[in-house]
Every structure is written in C-alpha cells, then in structure tokens.
Amino acid sequence: RFGRDRLVLAFDVRLNVRGEPCVTTHGWTEQSELSLWEAVAAYVPSGVTHVLCTDVHRDGAMGGPNLDLYREAVARFPAIRWQASGGVSCGADLIALAATGAAAVISGRALLENRIPAAELAPFLPSA
C-alpha cells in the first residue's frame, strides 16, 4: 500500500558471546538466538530496501558507533539502505559511518546535548 521506499524494517541487536549481532525483543530485555543476518535475509525476498539497526549496547552511551557492524551489514546486503543507530557522539562518527556505506544515521542524545555543531551536520543534511 505504501511502497517499499516508505517502509523501514527496524532491528535492535546486541552482540552475543561469539560477536554476532542477535535480535533483542521486549524493550531490549530479551535476547534471541536469531542473528541480524538471518532476520534480514528472511525479508530480502519481499523487496525490503531500508533497514534500521540499533546496537543497543551503544545506544545513548555516546562511545562511538559499532563501525564493524555496519560495515558488515553493507557488505552482506549491499542492496539495502542501512540506517545506523547507537553510539553517535560527534561529527567524526557521522563521517566514519558514511565510510562504512551506511545510508543514514540516527542520533538522539548527541543532538539533544548539542555535541554536534551545525557546521559538522551540514554536509549530512543536503536538503536542509
């Protein structure tokens, strides 16, 4: 009804003991055994084009994003426009995430606390 360009599939993930991103549920309180890769692969046949992935261990901590996670996500599913979330603290994080191939970034706390100056945001907001 809305078209795949207007829908975003969102996953909250936490790395398991093997370092694999696994889906969390119930407000991050329950850890599943389902890997992010398995979850996304299940939706690829439907034509999903946008996936938001939040590394819940880093969300709100402003300790830097999980660059390896997003680099691997883009490598595994290059046709998907990945939205990275969790850990963003400064403009350098935006540059680093762009270098992974992430199409978009979610930033909450860093923006609320004015930690990213407008001049550093400007290159990422072409229509603003």
Side-chain angles (χ1 to χ4, degrees):
R1 173 176 166 202
F2 298 104
R4 64 182 181 204
D5 286 334
R6 294 180 178 236
L7 297 174
V8 177
L9 186 60
F11 292 105
D12 294 336
V13 302
R14 183 177 290 119
L15 301 182
N16 65 16
V17 296
R18 294 179 304 280
E20 301 164 328
C22 289
V23 176
T24 64
T25 61
H26 297 82
W28 305 351
T29 62
E30 294 187 25
Q31 182 72 40
S32 77
E33 294 298 317
L34 180 66
S35 78
L36 172 64
W37 317 131
E38 294 167 323
V40 172
Y43 287 93
V44 167
S46 69
V48 64
T49 57
H50 300 277
V51 174
L52 164 60
C53 177
T54 301
D55 181 335
V56 301
H57 178 71
R58 295 179 185 234
D59 196 55
M62 292 197 305
N66 186 339
L67 300 174
D68 290 337
L69 170 64
Y70 302 111
R71 197 174 293 113
E72 185 172 356
V74 170
R76 284 178 180 254
F77 300 96
I80 291 177
R81 296 182 46 81
W82 287 91
Q83 299 176 18
S85 176
V88 173
S89 66
C90 61
D93 288 339
L94 301 177
I95 293 167
L97 282 165
T100 70
V105 176
I106 305 294
S107 177
R109 187 171 170 196
L111 290 175
L112 288 172
E113 294 181 3
N114 295 314
R115 293 185 181 224
I116 306 175
E120 292 180 16
L121 281 173
F124 300 96
L125 302 171
S127 60

